[in-house]
Amino acid sequence: MPKARKTQVSLEATPYYHCVSRCVRRAFLCGKDQHSGQNFEHRRQWIEDRLLALSSIFAIDIAAYAIMSNHYHVVLYIDKDQVVSWSTREVCEHWHELFSGDDLSSRYLSDESLSSTEEQQLQLKVDCWRERLIDISWFMRCLNEPIARQANQEDKATGRFWEGRFKSQALLDEKALAACMAYVDLNPIRSRMAETPEASDHTSIQQRIKHHSGTRNLDPNTIRHQPESLLPFAGNPRKNMPDGLPFKYTDYLELVDWTGRILRDDKRGAIPADTPEILSRLNIDVKHWIYLTRDFESPFKSLVGCAHQVRQACEQLGKCWVHGLRRCAEVFPDS
């Protein structure tokens, strides 16, 4: 029996989560359906636009994404500090970008006076909305429902468009985060939809490369020189580290490019000698890395990371055991 989402998410364990949502019908989310001959390529832009728009409303950032033919991947970063810093007005404004709110919040945003009782009632609603604005279930709901309605209208169909539940994996450490991001960014290459990262349409890696290409004279490892719509790379872990991904952008790009070349059919099984240094820093064996970037979803369920990190997360979530622990110990050795 599927477990409640709240038993799979622990912000104390990690703010990073890999989510996957798949279509339930034969009709494709995007791309060309060979059965019907219809082309749904334009739907990729629907979901990409919605995904990036939601990241500016929720206190949730996008670390990586890839939109495929009948499913999509997204790696989310939950910014709890950001939502805590929002004022009552800011929370109301963010929520009203998603829903109409209610009479109290509308009056408050219009600067109408509220009684003390009404202010208390409003604060209860704001506390609820504040929690929802860092909730990945609400994020995915706000992403999937409009797309489903739009696709059903186009298909002249009714009923479910998405599977009932999206899949989520908690990424507990740098190793799991790097492997999952590369797995997501390289999905089109592995699926033979593209030959290079820069040619992988509707992916985060393509967006990052395009932004970098337009700012050649700027340092791509500097946060202010990276795409505003994506969680920036903050560099290797250090004291007084700014918020962002714990890698250098150039190191990650080299890693993805190197891995993409190996995943090509004409390079199957070949391990080049010029292994990126980031793998050494993360203490990941090359063979394990290739396996992870091909099969990240299958060996793990809800928790991914070093074995001791998985055990700690199990304690925080009240779990006695988790699927894939032995595999975690094998491919993510403790540093």
Side-chain angles (χ1 to χ4, degrees):
M1 179 182 294
K3 295 184 178 180
R5 193 70 63 184
K6 64 182 180 181
T7 67
Q8 302 178 43
V9 176
S10 170
L11 294 187
E12 288 71 29
T14 180
Y16 292 101
Y17 292 86
H18 170 220
C19 300
V20 186
S21 200
R22 301 179 185 278
C23 292
V24 74
R25 299 203 299 255
R26 169 181 285 275
F28 280 14
L29 165 65
C30 310
K32 185 175 182 178
D33 185 347
Q34 299 299 327
H35 179 75
S36 67
Q38 288 184 279
N39 193 320
F40 300 99
E41 189 68 18
H42 57 281
R43 292 180 180 174
R44 288 177 180 246
Q45 197 64 53
W46 290 359
I47 198 166
E48 185 174 29
D49 290 344
R50 182 67 178 171
L51 177 66
L52 297 178
L54 288 176
S55 69
S56 66
I57 300 172
F58 283 78
I60 296 178
D61 292 312
I62 310 299
Y65 68 86
I67 304 167
M68 307 299 288
S69 293
N70 61 356
H71 69 285
Y72 67 84
H73 298 262
V74 59
V75 178
L76 302 174
Y77 171 77
I78 301 174
D79 194 343
K80 187 176 181 179
D81 291 339
Q82 183 184 44
V83 81
V84 169
S85 72
W86 285 346
S87 66
T88 295
R89 176 171 290 276
E90 287 175 314
V91 171
C92 289
E93 288 173 343
H94 280 261
W95 189 255
H96 275 239
E97 290 189 61
L98 298 168
F99 304 101
S100 58
D102 61 11
D103 179 63
L104 282 179
S105 59
S106 297
R107 288 169 54 198
Y108 172 77
L109 291 177
S110 298
D111 295 322
E112 294 184 24
S113 60
L114 302 178
S115 67
S116 58
T117 301
E118 289 175 328
E119 288 180 352
Q120 291 175 2
Q121 292 175 341
L122 176 63
Q123 194 57 53
L124 290 175
K125 292 181 181 294
V126 168
D127 291 342
C128 176
W129 295 342
R130 196 186 298 272
E131 288 296 320
R132 290 177 178 178
L133 288 169
I134 54 168
D135 188 320
I136 62 173
S137 290
W138 275 89
F139 183 95
M140 296 296 284
R141 171 184 173 179
C142 292
L143 174 58
N144 283 348
E145 285 189 0
I147 300 299
R149 288 195 296 269
Q150 202 170 352
N152 277 346
Q153 184 177 15
E154 185 178 60
D155 292 341
K156 295 180 173 56
T158 59
R160 288 187 178 275
F161 183 78
W162 303 101
E163 288 182 351
R165 285 169 61 89
F166 64 89
K167 178 179 181 179
S168 67
Q169 295 173 300
L171 309 175
L172 302 177
D173 54 29
E174 287 182 60
K175 300 179 180 68
L177 177 60
C180 185
M181 286 181 60
Y183 170 79
V184 169
D185 278 329
L186 289 169
N187 244 253
I189 292 177
R190 198 182 70 254
S191 302
R192 301 179 183 177
M193 295 173 65
E195 294 186 357
T196 62
E198 58 269 28
S200 301
D201 292 337
H202 305 288
T203 61
S204 52
I205 191 67
Q206 185 191 58
Q207 187 175 148
R208 293 185 191 276
I209 292 172
K210 282 184 176 179
H211 183 86
H212 180 209
S213 298
T215 54
R216 292 181 180 178
N217 295 326
L218 302 177
D219 182 0
N221 291 307
T222 303
I223 288 180
R224 65 178 181 274
H225 297 159
Q226 298 181 47
E228 293 183 2
S229 57
L230 297 173
L231 184 65
F233 288 87
N236 296 334
R238 60 194 183 277
K239 291 183 178 180
N240 301 320
M241 183 175 175
D243 293 336
L245 295 162
F247 318 110
K248 292 175 62 178
Y249 166 75
T250 49
D251 287 351
Y252 178 75
L253 185 62
E254 178 188 8
L255 180 65
V256 170
D257 181 69
W258 177 86
T259 309
R261 295 175 191 276
I262 296 173
L263 292 180
R264 284 167 39 193
D265 287 342
D266 60 339
K267 296 290 185 179
R268 187 177 298 277
I271 306 297
D274 55 340
T275 306
E277 292 184 3
I278 188 174
L279 286 184
S280 298
R281 182 176 76 78
L282 296 177
N283 192 28
I284 300 179
D285 181 85
V286 171
K287 292 182 179 179
H288 288 158
W289 176 260
I290 301 306
Y291 168 77
L292 289 169
T293 50
R294 287 184 185 275
D295 305 285
F296 190 87
E297 290 182 74
S298 56
F300 314 112
K301 294 299 181 183
S302 58
L303 302 174
V304 190
C306 296
H308 79 275
Q309 294 276 20
V310 173
R311 293 190 185 97
Q312 288 179 7
C314 283
E315 292 179 5
Q316 293 170 335
L317 294 169
K319 294 184 175 183
C320 298
W321 177 84
V322 66
H323 179 85
L325 181 58
R326 181 179 299 177
R327 196 61 170 147
C328 282
E330 181 180 352
V331 301
F332 296 119
D334 293 335
S335 300

